[in-house]
Amino acid sequence: MPRTVDDAIGIYIGHFRKKIARLKEYVLDPEDRLLKKNILVSVLDAVSRTTSNYADGNRERFTGIVSNFGDWPNHSRVSAPHLGYLLRNLRSPAFQPARKFIVEVIRRNSHGGFVTLSSDPELDEVRKLWPVAPEQKLVNQLSLSSFTHLNLLYHYRNSLVHELREPGHGMEFHEQHEEPFYHGMTTLESDGSAGEETLELVYPLKFYFKLAESVLGNVEQYLRNNAIDPYSCYRFGSSWISELN
């Protein structure tokens, strides 16, 4: 009996839900949490094929599925500490209003406790102070838009997939963190004195689970509403080179 589109969607989404459910039960050393994160971003990559165009690259597919289906309200906010690193390299006085604003945001959040992403400014708020187009490349192909949390998550994904490491020096102090946050850190100089103080960004493991589950639920509804067979987005066959199948 031919499989209906609804049947195909149920099988497809169920496949990934089972993998996520089993992944939750795997007991790993806390230092190996990045292995679970790696699998979860792979799930997002896989499912993104059903909601993107054939010509889209990895970045477009990944950021598209997170922004459209992830239920992550803070994805469009700009990370003030990370934008601050860019502004260090921009000496033009045209960037002084933005520099002053970001310095004040960082100062306000450097209070020693956990800082939520809601403390970061929205992209539109910074854009008003930005002297060039938000997509204009300024340093190493980086623009203002590169510093939204959506794009920083993609950088995190790349570190996991290509280097098997987590970027930055952030620490997950316990397993109950469900949302991304910042915490303060002070480096020590070689003589033991206090060095640079930073705000370290953390995307905790539970956030990745929450994001993946939200994406699956929303994509399932999207596929059903639009009668999209998810398996039509892949090529299957004996050749390892999909274009030959």
Side-chain angles (χ1 to χ4, degrees), residues 29-37 166 170-172 205:
D29 187 283
E31 292 185 4
D32 292 328
R33 63 183 179 275
L34 82 168
L35 300 179
K36 290 189 176 184
K37 292 180 180 180
E166 297 173 281
M171 295 181 288
E172 296 180 41
L205 178 58

Side-chain angles (χ1 to χ4, degrees), residues 12 41-70 150-151 153-154 157 215 219 233-234 243:
Y12 178 82
V41 297
S42 293
V43 169
L44 296 177
D45 274 332
V47 177
S48 71
R49 289 188 174 274
T50 68
T51 60
S52 58
N53 298 322
Y54 287 107
D56 289 343
N58 290 333
R59 178 186 291 274
E60 289 79 13
R61 290 201 305 267
F62 185 87
T63 57
I65 200 167
V66 171
S67 62
N68 291 312
F69 301 98
L150 178 64
N151 282 304
L153 180 67
Y154 182 70
R157 172 259 187 207
V215 164
V219 166
C233 304
Y234 302 81
E243 290 80 4

Side-chain angles (χ1 to χ4, degrees), residues 138-155:
L138 297 168
V139 177
N140 295 330
Q141 298 300 304
L142 297 171
S143 66
L144 172 60
S145 299
S146 302
F147 297 90
T148 62
H149 284 283
L150 178 64
N151 282 304
L152 290 176
L153 180 67
Y154 182 70
H155 281 283

